[in-house]
Amino acid sequence: MSIDPAARRASIDARSPLFYSNPNAAYAALHSHCPTFYWEEQKQWFFTGYDHVNALLRDRRFGRQILHIASREDLGLPEPDQHVANFDLAERYSLLELEPPEHTRLRTLVNRAFVSRHVEKMKPELEELANRLIDQFEHKGEVELLSAFADIIPVTMIARMIGIPEEMGPQLLKWSHAYIRMYLFGRTRADEDGAEQAATEFADYVKTVIAERRANPRDDLLTHMIHTEHKGQYLTEDELVSTTIVLLNAGHEATVHQIGNSVRMILDSGYVPAQLFKDEETTERTVEESLRICAPVHIFQRWALEPAEIDGISFKRGDKVSLILAAANLDPLKFTDPLTFRPDRREAPNLSFGAGIHFCIGAPLARLELNVVLPILFERLPGLKLAKTPEVKDVYHFHGLDRLDLNWPSR
């Protein structure tokens, strides 16, 4: 990477292993020279400062969509690519993409299932699942943790909540991995074609489950979304498909990454795991510190809905800006020694789940999963250590591992 502090511009190759394997080093350099910068390759302004990112996430002059207030012609935007038409259709009513009033209506219908008091009831199921998975490899003395543990827990739990058969887990993972490649920096035509196929198959499958739930309602989130009205309105078929897909994707993809990231960080930190997880308070602080320093999702983008000036940069309606949540978590103006894992911190809350109206609806579930499964893993496998250097996925602006090979002394 190269940085021109005077011009507030930076050139960063997001496909370089030097960057995506350790983005925190690049973020530290940006904080030192130009926390607000124009990323040459992305042709967009980016914010890394904690206060700016936190404020922009809540600033209603900026939104996740723009075409609800202006046409493509008005903004000079090209027509959508037809080779990803089904992907765009699956995204059209995504909670991540909508603005009020549509966002408010959809979120109100879904939110009840994700509030902390409801999610907390899943703790026994989580404990049982984590222990059952560890039972399958504990005697071996080694494991590739992502495929044997981290991949399985979040997708199983979100499938149970929504009402998708658990045996669909492996297929959901395949669709999700292909689907999210549309969000990668430097995506290829092959990435787009794969995401289009995944979106088509994913949507077709969800429609069959919706039809089955209409005929045979159950006590699950999908049935709730189908049969509950908000101010006299029910969700349409397209809204149900988009909402189900985004909940399945967001409900497991980031948590898979975060389980792997957290385990790696703890093993590299030199801390004794038994001390990090000795009670609920220390466990919670350990989880929050791991979310701060190795967040699974790094960037959220916003459209300027009206003219605005932020940190001396003028934006007109239709401009796009990017907020690097993971870099905001490392702001030296907010966090002392920000690149160091310190679970005893009592500083600003991390921004890994966003803020404002688009604060991650699944945050209570993700936090519960991390607070439950990490202590169980380290308690069940004393002496746990890295068997080899972990491989980081080339999936920026997500951050996770391809593999996490571990071993422990046999007993």
Side-chain angles (χ1 to χ4, degrees):
M1 65 181 290
S2 62
I3 301 174
D4 182 347
R8 305 173 83 179
R9 301 177 89 85
S11 175
I12 308 169
D13 179 5
R15 299 305 294 267
S16 168
L18 292 175
F19 173 67
Y20 68 72
S21 63
N22 184 21
N24 286 4
Y27 298 155
L30 290 164
H31 279 302
S32 295
H33 298 292
C34 52
T36 299
F37 70 99
Y38 186 83
W39 191 331
E40 300 281 7
E41 287 79 1
Q42 307 307 325
K43 298 179 173 55
Q44 201 174 114
W45 283 95
F46 284 70
F47 293 85
T48 68
Y50 185 99
D51 287 341
H52 283 129
V53 170
N54 190 30
L56 280 162
L57 287 167
R58 306 166 192 273
D59 193 331
R60 299 308 301 137
R61 296 175 299 172
F62 293 81
R64 284 292 296 163
Q65 62 178 169
I66 187 71
L67 296 179
H68 62 308
I69 62 168
S71 68
R72 289 181 176 274
E73 186 178 14
D74 292 338
L75 301 169
L77 297 177
E79 290 301 309
D81 292 324
Q82 288 306 301
H83 70 279
V84 289
N86 286 307
F87 177 89
D88 288 343
L89 179 60
E91 287 284 278
R92 184 173 299 170
Y93 300 103
S94 166
L95 279 168
L96 295 176
E97 303 298 331
L98 293 175
E99 288 296 299
E102 288 81 5
H103 176 269
T104 306
R105 181 169 67 92
L106 264 69
R107 182 147 182 152
T108 299
L109 283 170
V110 176
N111 193 58
R112 184 175 69 95
F114 287 92
V115 295
S116 297
R117 66 180 181 274
H118 286 295
V119 167
E120 191 67 26
K121 297 175 183 176
M122 302 178 74
K123 187 175 180 179
E125 292 181 57
L126 263 170
E127 293 171 337
E128 185 278 330
L129 178 59
N131 279 302
R132 176 157 47 87
L133 292 174
I134 295 171
D135 287 343
Q136 295 173 14
F137 57 75
E138 181 183 22
H139 64 283
K140 298 178 183 178
E142 62 181 15
V143 72
E144 194 292 293
L145 192 73
L146 303 187
S147 58
F149 188 77
D151 275 346
I152 300 170
I153 289 173
V155 74
T156 300
M157 299 310 295
I158 193 65
R160 286 179 184 177
M161 282 187 72
I162 293 173
I164 303 293
E166 289 180 33
E167 57 268 25
M168 283 297 295
Q171 180 61 65
L172 295 174
L173 288 171
K174 290 178 183 177
W175 282 331
S176 180
H177 294 335
Y179 193 94
I180 67 162
R181 295 197 72 83
M182 278 293 286
Y183 300 111
L184 303 190
F185 282 20
R187 73 182 188 225
T188 65
R189 175 60 188 257
D191 291 330
E192 294 174 350
D193 290 343
E196 171 72 359
Q197 180 178 346
T200 304
E201 295 174 2
F202 209 161
D204 287 345
Y205 171 71
V206 170
K207 288 175 185 175
T208 66
V209 183
I210 290 171
E212 199 279 329
R213 286 299 182 282
R214 289 192 192 280
N216 300 292
R218 298 186 189 175
D219 183 19
D220 56 35
L221 179 55
L222 186 53
T223 300
H224 168 76
M225 291 193 295
I226 291 169
H227 295 284
T228 303
E229 63 175 315
H230 178 65
K231 296 183 178 179
Q233 289 184 298
Y234 292 91
L235 294 185
T236 66
E237 180 97 340
D238 286 342
E239 288 173 335
L240 286 166
V241 170
S242 287
T243 304
T244 302
I245 288 177
V246 75
L247 290 176
L248 283 166
N249 283 343
H252 79 269
E253 194 78 37
T255 311
V256 170
H257 290 334
Q258 193 58 35
I259 292 172
N261 292 348
S262 298
V263 171
R264 179 193 187 180
M265 181 60 60
I266 290 165
L267 293 176
D268 278 340
S269 72
Y271 281 90
V272 177
Q275 292 300 111
L276 296 178
F277 301 113
K278 64 182 179 182
D279 54 39
E280 287 189 10
E281 181 183 355
T282 57
T283 296
E284 183 177 333
R285 285 163 62 181
T286 297
V287 166
E288 293 305 309
E289 176 66 351
S290 72
L291 282 164
R292 182 195 70 83
I293 201 169
C294 50
V297 181
H298 281 210
I299 292 173
F300 279 159
Q301 295 183 320
R302 294 288 188 269
W303 294 94
L305 305 181
E306 59 183 80
E309 183 176 310
I310 309 292
D311 196 19
I313 309 299
S314 296
F315 298 101
K316 64 181 185 299
R317 186 177 74 158
D319 284 344
K320 219 171 189 181
V321 303
S322 284
L323 321 175
I324 310 185
L325 311 185
N329 288 342
L330 305 175
D331 188 340
L333 299 179
K334 288 289 179 182
F335 304 98
T336 55
D337 200 10
L339 296 186
T340 300
F341 178 77
R342 279 183 34 195
D344 59 344
R345 285 184 190 276
R346 295 187 183 274
E347 296 176 308
N350 68 73
L351 295 177
S352 298
F353 291 111
I357 68 166
H358 286 287
F359 179 79
C360 177
I361 197 169
L365 176 59
R367 283 188 160 115
L368 179 70
E369 289 171 338
L370 293 164
N371 276 273
V372 169
V373 307
L374 291 176
I376 291 174
L377 182 72
F378 282 98
E379 181 183 354
R380 290 283 307 273
L381 305 175
L384 192 64
K385 63 181 181 179
L386 299 174
K388 60 177 72 172
T389 302
E391 302 172 15
V392 179
K393 273 189 176 183
D394 174 14
V395 291
Y396 190 82
H397 61 96
F398 301 96
H399 184 69
L401 304 176
D402 251 337
R403 294 183 60 88
L404 183 56
D405 292 282
L406 307 174
N407 57 32
W408 55 92
S410 58
R411 288 183 280 175

